[in-house]
């Protein structure tokens, strides 16, 4: 039975204009709408094969028709089919377009998912500009009488063509003194540089007390100066006069609107927003400064005149009052504006700016809604006089209705044909949209679905709003309080089943994060209402007092429709985006291999079960010493489960589901890549995961925070011991996911291609451009190197060697700056001695035998192991070392072997100076990259490890044994690739690693300028020069020996020249040396002598009394040390600095001679001999050198004679 063509004509034009999917065939559309194939033919006949006619089919058209299986279609079946067909046009016009902030239930009503959503196309009247869509929802159980009608429609053109006039009225009367900082903060947040630079927005600010004054608006580049101007030039004073503020506001708004009209804009395209900031009542009527009824009436009359003027202006207008302090009049503020908000602290101000004010500035205008209800329906809450439009000029609103069952019982036919009529009027009062929706189309979501749970939450919020409305302006009796508390508890009980589902980890739950956020917001509002109720209860134990104004503000806020929080909006968009993705492939089934690794640890649900609930699996991370580390011995965890356990990512989680150890999970890492369809769902959660991971990384590249995942992968490869199979597979799976993540992200550093290509280029540059290595993040580079596709086996091997070499060089450079008694690090002589000790001859032993086994670790005897080694070794002579190195170069130009003292000193240097650097871990990279290169080379042509892994994770379960067998073969190949990451330990690798360490230390000693950027543990991973992994001779060669010899000759010559250039003459300090800083003295005379027995010296220091100056105690400690049998030694023959030579001699002269009478000085020669002998005991010097003893005696005699006042002119002594 076809309907007359005239019935379709107007509707067809609207449907064709709204249709966005014209390519789908009718059969495909019916299949997507979950219409059984047996009904396709009769539906095709009724709509004439045109999709746009589906909405015109009525149940009576289908009733009595024969289906494809010859069965007669009954009326209930016909109604079900019509309900399915009624969403066809809704689906085509895209009600649930991604990114649009619709009401919660309307946004989640996705007809494409197969749900029988009861929606009706409300076609416009003659003057209407666009269609209005509506969906009617009905509750279940206790909420079976509740209905919610979600309305959406385009009322007027969008935000892009609209103009905004924003006027801020700031009360700066004397009573605002305490609240003025909050007001200026609010103005600073609103009047931003971005807002002032927007040509479609006109901003004005005025302050008012006794009179109103307009404030000059700064230019966009100095927008931040406005709050300071308000604080300094417009400090609070005077009385409050609203009438002067409204009078000036009218002039300003008229001027601003006229400015837009002069540029061609129309009145209906301009939105006027007025923000009123105040804290008290009007005090402008006699007696001035005092609140009175006359002043209140004057303010109300001025406000009414202002709002009437705005209405006559012809523009969409919105007025909001932000009240500060507890002494304002809530009723007056409510009458002065469309919306009123009580601001009592900075947190409430931030919420108001983000919600109400953000909605105001982004709105494309306002409209009003009028409903005509059938007799059995009633409004659950009153309709607001004005509703805001979104950025696109659309109305999104939810109307709650109550079904009167008593009327339905009295008249069983009361519901037949019952319709709800809606009329939407724009700001000018003209009807923009109107139409009807049938009550029988109400859809009841299935119990246990996300839609049903969200409906329950919305219904509970409705109950709280009703309680707040009933309580406003009332003082309930004891019985009424008990009933209200019972209703508050009932609102909590009403959503208990939602809370249980959201907190149950035993099974996946769709929208778990969204439900938890909504539950938290609901509980917060419920507790605020409970707190307000307590102020009416005389028996309440809470001693806090909110005050009448605060209670009124709480109730007014609780009675409003709160906008969705940013977290809720984010969760909604994620769910909507997941529903917009293609369904998981029906044939995709986890293989036996995939089942071992792709499951949720807490719930044991498979990856596809998790994905079906809109969730995704991620690898857990633990917090390591150098950054987040992959917890590869733990099963993956779903994003929603971690959010639940970690309270939204705010705390670490103990993995209680682990069998043995229960590690602490600090955050989530890379996703688990199972298939492309599964990965598309994981990408929806990646921004939140990366946002938490990026700050934990020590250094993040500027071209994308996603590269933080490379650092996680690099640290997973740094394992000294051989990995077990489970850990190796976990690292392989993580690498596959990171490969996919970077491949799906475009590079943001200006380069073309993806982040993956950028990371691969960084790794390639590190390998082929050694000059760029010093500033690289080695952990990230290790992860990037594993993802390179174009390298050969030799390049992978060279890359692993280069990573180890750079890490060793950085560790050595760091140690050389830390292991010394001087603040500047090891001295030049210490560095050159270490080079001399490490590049020794090989003639005394078989080449490589000593290198192969590093020295055993032992506690270092000193905080300065190099200095200690030089002194205890006793063989090094800088005057002859240069010639010795050149001789070794001529005899052994390509080989070298470390001396015993050098091997011990090297180990102690790294243990003390870089304890966090572990050579075994970095050596393992060479082993793993070499094995990885072999595994990749063994793959068939054109096949990558990632293809191999994907093929083994999922199999096509089509009942054919061939596919299953192929999947088993893929799993074996995948296991071989993953085993290459396990690593191994061989003697040759140990020898290469130790040789490479020596190369790196020699490089760091000869090029100390490259030590920049070294940091302590926890800041940056240690790191080091290019390394080949071959023998020391081929790696080091002749240049280091020749370089060291040249440096030694220069050092000896410089010290000798300094000693002659700055002599000691007449006991004076050396002349011409400049300011005698510690660094300058070390530069001229080298290192001081040090105790050869540090333990004995510590014992001597303890025997010295604490009386006297620091220099005196140090001198007496040296004397006591010598008395115990200790001695001092210089590091080398060219070190000659003696600490406190002049100062300590002066202290001794003052103690021995200063208090004596002049007649007692006839024995001065004898006293000088005793003083010189005493000073030889108090100073640090090597008393085994007779030549040094004679020279030091002459210097001390000259210093003593100068202190005695003798005017003799002795010869200058080389210092």
């Amino acid at each position: 039975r076809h309907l007359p063509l005239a019935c379709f004509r107007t509707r067809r034009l609207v449907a064709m204009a709204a249709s966005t999917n014209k390519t789908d065939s009718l059969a495909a559309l019916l299949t997507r709408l979950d219409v059984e194939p047996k009904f396709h033919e009769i539906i095709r006949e009724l709509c004439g094969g045109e999709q746009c006619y589906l909405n015109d089919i009525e149940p009576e058209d289908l009733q009595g028709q024969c289906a494809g299986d010859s069965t007669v279609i009954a009326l209930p079946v016909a109604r079900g089919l019509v309900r399915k067909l009624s969403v066809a046009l809704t689906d085509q016009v895209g009600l649930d377009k991604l990114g649009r902030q619709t009401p919660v239930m309307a946004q989640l009503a996705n007809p494409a998912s197969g749900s029988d959503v009861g929606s009706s196309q409300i076609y416009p009247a003659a003057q209407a500009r666009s269609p209005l869509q509506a969906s009617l929802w009905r509750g279940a159980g206790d909420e079976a009488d509740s209905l919610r009608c979600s309305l959406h429609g385009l009322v007027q053109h969008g935000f892009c063509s609209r103009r905004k006039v924003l006027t801020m009225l700031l009360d700066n009367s004397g009573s605002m003194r305490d609240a003025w900082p909050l007001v200026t903060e609010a103005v600073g947040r609103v009047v931003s540089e971005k807002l002032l630079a927007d040509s479609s927005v006109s901003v004005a600010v005025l302050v008012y007390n006794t009179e109103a004054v307009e404030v000059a608006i700064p230019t966009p580049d100095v927008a931040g100066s406005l709050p300071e101007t308000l604080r300094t030039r417009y400090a609070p004073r005077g009385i409050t006069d609203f009438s002067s503020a409204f009078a000036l506001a009218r002039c300003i708004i008229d001027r601003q609107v006229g400015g837009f009209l002069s540029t061609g804009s129309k009145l209906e395209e301009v939105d006027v927003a007025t923000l009123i900031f105040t804290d008290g009542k009007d005090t402008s009527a006699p007696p001035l400064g005092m609140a009175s009824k006359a002043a209140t009436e004057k303010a109300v009359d001025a406000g009414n005149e202002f709002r009437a003027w705005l209405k006559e202006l012809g523009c969409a207008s919105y007025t909001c009052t932000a009240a500060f302090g507890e002494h304002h009049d809530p009723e007056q503020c409510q009458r002065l504006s469309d919306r009123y908000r009580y601001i009592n602290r900075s947190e409430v101000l931030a919420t108001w700016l983000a919600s109400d004010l953000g909605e105001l500035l982004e709105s494309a205008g306002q409209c009003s809604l009028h409903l005509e209800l059938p007799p059995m329906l009633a409004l659950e809450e009153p309709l607001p006089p004005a509703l805001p439009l979104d950025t696109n000029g659309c109305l999104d609103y939810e109307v709650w209705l109550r079904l009167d069952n008593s009327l339905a019982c009295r008249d069983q036919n009361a519901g037949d044909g019952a319709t709800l009529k809606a009329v939407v009027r724009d700001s000018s009062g003209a009807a923009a949209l109107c139409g009807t929706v049938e009550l029988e189309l109400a859809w009841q979501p299935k119990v246990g679905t996300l839609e049903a749970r969200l409906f329950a939450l919305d219904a509970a919020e409705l109950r709280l709003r009703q309680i707040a409305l009933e309580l406003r302006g009332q003082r309930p009796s004891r019985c009424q309080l008990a009933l209200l508390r019972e209703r508050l508890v009932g609102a909590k009980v009403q959503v208990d089943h939602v809370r249980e589902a959201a907190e149950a980890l035993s099974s996946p739950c769709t929208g778990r994060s969204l439900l938890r956020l909504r539950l938290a917001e609901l509980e917060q509002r419920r507790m605020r209402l409970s707190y307000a109720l307590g102020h009416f209860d005389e028996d309440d134990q809470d001693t806090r007092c909110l005050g009448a104004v605060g209670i009124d503000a709480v109730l007014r806020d609780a009675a409003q429709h709160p906008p969705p929080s940013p977290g809720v909006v984010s969760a909604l968009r994620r769910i909507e985006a997941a529903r917009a993705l293609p369904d998981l492939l029906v044939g995709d089934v986890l293989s036996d291999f995939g089942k071992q690794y792709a499951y949720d640890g807490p719930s044991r649900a498979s990856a596809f079960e998790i994905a079906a609930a809109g969730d995704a699996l991620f690898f857990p991370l633990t917090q390591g010493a150098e950054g987040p580390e992959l917890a590869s011995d733990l099963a993956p965890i779903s994003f929603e489960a971690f959010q639940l356990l970690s309270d939204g990512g705010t705390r670490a989680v103990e993995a209680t589901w682990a069998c043995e150890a229960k590690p602490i999970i600090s955050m989530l890492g890379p996703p688990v890549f199972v298939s492309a369809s599964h990965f598309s769902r994981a990408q929806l959660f990646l921004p939140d995961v990366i946002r938490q991971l990026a700050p934990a990384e020590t250094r993040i590249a500027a071209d994308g925070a996603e590269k933080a995942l490379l650092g996680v992968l690099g640290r997973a490869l740094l394992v000294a011991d051989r990995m077990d199979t489970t850990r190796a597979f976990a690292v392989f799976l993580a690498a596959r996911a990171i490969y996919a993540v970077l491949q799906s992200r475009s590079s943001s550093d200006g380069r073309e291609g993806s982040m993956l290509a950028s990371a691969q280029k960084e790794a390639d540059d590190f390998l082929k451009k050694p000059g760029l290595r010093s500033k690289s993040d080695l952990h990230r580079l290790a992860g990037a190197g594993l993802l390179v596709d174009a390298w050969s086996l030799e390049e992978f091997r060279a890359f692993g060697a280069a990573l180890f070499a750079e890490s060793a060089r950085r560790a050595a450079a760091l140690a050389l700056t830390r292991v010394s008694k001087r603040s500047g690090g090891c001295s030049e002589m210490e560095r050159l001695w270490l080079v001399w000790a490490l590049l020794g001859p090989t003639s005394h032993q078989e080449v490589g035998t000593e290198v192969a086994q590093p020295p055993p670790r032992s506690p270092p005897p000193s905080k300065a192991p190099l200095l200690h080694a030089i002194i205890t070794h006793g063989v090094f002579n800088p005057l002859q070392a240069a010639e010795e190195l050149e001789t070794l170069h001529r005899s052994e130009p390509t080989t070298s072997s470390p001396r015993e003292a050098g091997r011990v000193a090297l180990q102690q240097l790294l243990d003390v100076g870089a304890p966090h650097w572990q050579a075994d871990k970095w050596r393992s990279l060479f082993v793993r990259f070499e094995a990885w290169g072999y595994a990749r080379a063994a793959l068939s042509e054109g096949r990558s490890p990632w293809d191999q892994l994907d093929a083994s994770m999922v199999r096509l379960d089509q009942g054919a044994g061939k596919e299953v067998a192929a999947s088993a073969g893929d799993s074996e190949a995948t296991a071989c690739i993953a085993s290459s990451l396990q690593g191994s330990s061989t003697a040759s690798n140990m020898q290469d690693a130790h040789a490479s360490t020596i190369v790196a230390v020699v490089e760091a000693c000869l090029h100390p300028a490259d030590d920049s950027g070294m940091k302590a543990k926890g800041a940056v991973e240690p790191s080091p020069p290019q390394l080949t992994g071959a023998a020391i001779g081929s790696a080091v060669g002749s240049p280091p020996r020749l370089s060291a010899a040249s440096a030694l000759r220069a050092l000896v010559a410089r010290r000798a020249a300094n000693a002659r250039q700055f002599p000691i003459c007449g006991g004076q300090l050396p002349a011409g040396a400049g300011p005698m800083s510690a660094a300058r003295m070390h530069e001229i005379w080298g290192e001081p002598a040090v105790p050869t027995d540090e333990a004995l010296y510590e014992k001597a220091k303890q025997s010295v009394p604490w009386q006297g100056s620091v220099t005196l105690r140090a001198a007496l400690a040296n004397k006591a040390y010598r008395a115990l049998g200790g001695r001092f030694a210089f590091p080398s023959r060219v070190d000659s600095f003696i600490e406190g030579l002049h100062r300590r001699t002066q202290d001794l002269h003052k103690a021995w001679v200063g208090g004596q009478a002049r007649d007692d000085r006839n024995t001065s020669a004898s006293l000088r001999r005793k003083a010189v002998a005493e000073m030889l005991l108090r100073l640090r010097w090597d008393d085994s050198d007779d030549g040094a003893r004679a020279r030091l005696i002459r210097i001390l005699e000259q210093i003593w004679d100068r202190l005695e006042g003798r005017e003799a002119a002795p010869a200058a002594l080389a210092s």
Side-chain angles (χ1 to χ4, degrees), residues 485-503:
R485 290 189 183 277
E486 183 178 349
R487 290 170 62 185
L488 280 178
V489 175
K492 182 178 181 180
V493 175
Q494 182 179 349
V495 295
D496 277 346
H497 68 283
V498 180
R499 183 177 292 103
E500 292 173 1
E503 296 179 355

Side-chain angles (χ1 to χ4, degrees), residues 134-417:
S135 57
L136 199 59
W137 300 65
R138 183 172 181 177
D142 295 338
E143 298 297 331
D145 296 337
S146 296
L147 290 94
R148 186 192 55 208
C149 182
S150 299
L151 303 173
H152 170 74
L154 180 64
V155 179
Q156 58 190 18
H157 49 77
F159 182 82
C160 58
S161 60
R162 301 196 63 79
R163 302 294 181 261
K164 298 286 183 180
V165 173
L166 176 61
T167 308
M168 306 178 71
L169 285 62
L170 312 181
D171 179 2
N172 71 331
S173 60
S175 59
M176 283 288 289
R177 188 173 292 105
D178 294 336
W180 194 242
L182 263 183
V183 173
T184 56
E185 177 187 352
V187 174
R189 293 190 185 185
V190 175
V191 186
S192 61
E193 179 181 352
K194 180 180 179 181
L195 187 67
L196 293 180
D198 190 347
S199 60
S200 64
V201 180
S202 178
V203 182
V205 177
L206 66 88
V207 295
Y208 65 96
N209 41 55
T210 308
E211 59 181 3
V213 179
E214 185 175 3
V215 180
I217 299 298
T219 57
D221 55 335
V222 289
S225 64
L226 182 58
E228 183 63 23
T229 300
L230 292 173
R231 282 192 294 267
T232 56
R233 296 182 57 186
Y234 300 96
R237 60 182 178 83
I239 62 175
T240 304
D241 186 359
F242 284 103
S243 60
S244 64
F246 288 132
L248 181 57
R250 288 176 60 173
C251 298
I252 294 174
I253 294 172
D254 191 61
R255 182 192 68 206
Q256 292 174 304
V257 172
F260 284 131
L261 296 180
S262 64
T263 61
S265 299
K266 301 178 182 179
L267 278 175
E268 56 267 23
E269 296 176 347
V270 180
D271 298 324
V272 178
T274 307
L275 304 182
I276 305 172
F277 294 78
T278 184
D279 79 326
K281 304 176 182 178
D282 192 293
T283 57
S284 61
L288 296 179
M290 300 292 292
S292 63
K293 182 178 180 181
T296 300
E297 292 177 352
K298 178 184 176 183
V300 172
D301 291 341
N304 291 336
E305 291 178 6
F306 178 70
R307 298 181 69 181
W309 177 80
L310 286 177
K311 187 174 182 180
E312 294 174 358
L313 189 61
C315 302
S317 61
Y318 179 86
T319 306
C320 181
T321 298
F324 297 80
E326 296 187 358
H327 304 292
H328 67 275
D329 186 350
E331 293 296 334
Q332 176 178 308
C333 292
Q334 189 73 32
R335 289 197 296 264
L336 290 175
S337 58
D338 300 311
R339 182 169 293 186
Y340 149 74
R341 177 60 68 92
Y342 173 43
I343 309 295
N344 59 347
R345 59 186 188 278
S346 182
E347 293 78 8
V348 179
L349 174 65
T351 303
W352 173 70
L353 292 174
S355 57
D356 293 10
L357 189 56
E359 177 183 319
L360 166 65
L361 294 177
E362 295 179 4
S363 174
Q366 289 182 312
C367 68
S368 59
L369 177 64
H370 306 272
L371 298 178
E372 294 182 11
L373 304 177
M376 74 285 298
L377 289 182
L379 286 173
E380 287 270 28
E381 53 186 344
L383 292 175
L387 297 174
L389 304 178
D390 65 11
T391 303
N392 300 314
C394 294
L395 169 68
D396 281 309
Y397 190 69
E398 296 175 349
V399 180
W400 282 89
L401 307 169
R402 169 65 60 177
L403 181 63
D404 189 351
N405 280 326
S406 61
L407 179 59
C409 291
R410 290 195 302 269
D411 185 1
Q412 297 183 358
N413 299 321
D416 293 345

Side-chain angles (χ1 to χ4, degrees), residues 883-1188:
E883 183 177 354
E884 181 182 351
L885 286 172
E886 292 173 343
T887 302
L888 283 175
H889 169 62
R890 288 191 294 270
S891 61
E892 301 178 5
T894 60
T895 57
S896 63
S897 177
R899 294 176 169 87
E900 179 65 23
R903 292 198 310 119
V904 175
L906 173 62
Q907 189 65 63
Q908 293 176 349
L909 171 73
L910 296 177
D911 286 345
V912 176
H916 57 290
W917 182 75
Q918 300 181 31
D920 293 345
K921 284 188 175 182
W922 289 96
R923 177 193 61 80
S924 69
L925 287 181
F926 173 77
V927 179
R928 289 190 172 90
F929 275 101
E930 183 180 35
W932 180 256
Y934 276 116
R936 291 190 65 113
L939 292 173
S940 59
E941 186 69 23
R943 192 171 180 85
S944 69
W946 324 120
D947 298 332
Q948 189 68 54
L949 179 60
D950 295 347
S952 61
M953 290 293 291
V954 179
R955 62 183 174 86
L956 293 178
D957 190 11
Q958 298 176 348
K962 183 178 181 181
E963 287 81 359
V964 176
S967 177
D970 288 332
S971 300
E972 294 178 1
T974 302
C976 293
I977 299 173
S979 64
S980 66
L981 299 176
Q982 292 183 264
S984 62
S985 179
T986 60
S988 61
N989 289 329
M990 288 294 295
Q991 177 174 337
D992 288 343
H994 191 55
S996 302
T997 305
I998 293 176
V999 173
V1001 174
V1002 169
E1003 179 76 12
C1005 290
L1006 294 178
H1007 301 89
D1010 296 339
D1011 297 349
S1012 61
M1014 296 298 105
K1015 298 183 180 180
K1017 178 181 179 180
V1020 179
E1021 63 276 338
S1023 77
Q1026 187 178 11
L1027 178 64
T1028 61
I1032 296 179
S1034 59
V1036 176
S1038 58
R1041 280 178 175 154
L1042 296 181
S1043 298
S1046 177
L1048 278 169
R1049 278 201 174 88
L1051 176 62
V1052 172
R1054 188 168 62 252
R1055 294 282 174 82
N1058 289 336
R1060 297 186 183 95
Q1061 182 180 358
F1062 308 112
I1064 296 178
C1065 185
Q1068 298 285 347
L1069 289 172
M1076 280 295 135
S1077 63
R1080 179 61 173 161
M1081 288 185 284
H1082 285 297
E1083 178 186 353
I1084 298 176
W1085 295 291
E1087 301 297 316
V1090 295
T1092 57
D1093 191 338
E1094 292 187 359
L1096 184 64
Y1097 185 74
E1098 290 296 325
K1099 181 179 178 181
K1101 284 173 61 178
Q1102 295 175 2
S1103 65
V1104 176
W1106 283 96
Q1107 293 80 8
S1109 63
V1110 176
T1111 57
L1112 178 60
R1113 292 199 303 269
L1116 295 179
N1118 293 339
K1119 181 179 179 180
Y1121 172 68
R1122 291 184 184 276
L1124 294 175
R1127 56 180 293 271
F1128 297 93
F1130 287 103
S1132 69
R1133 293 285 300 275
V1134 295
D1135 293 308
S1136 59
F1137 179 64
I1138 299 180
E1139 294 177 321
L1141 174 62
H1142 289 77
R1143 173 64 184 274
R1144 294 176 187 179
T1145 306
Q1146 182 180 354
D1147 291 344
L1148 182 65
H1149 182 271
K1150 182 178 180 180
W1152 283 13
V1153 180
Q1156 296 181 3
R1158 186 175 298 275
D1159 296 341
D1160 299 331
R1161 294 187 179 182
N1162 50 9
T1163 58
S1164 59
S1166 174
L1167 184 61
R1168 186 179 71 172
R1169 286 194 298 272
K1170 293 180 180 179
V1172 170
E1174 179 71 14
M1175 290 305 302
L1176 292 177
L1177 297 176
R1178 293 189 179 191
L1179 296 175
R1180 289 188 176 192
W1181 62 287
D1182 188 357
D1183 55 6
S1184 64
D1185 189 338
D1186 293 336

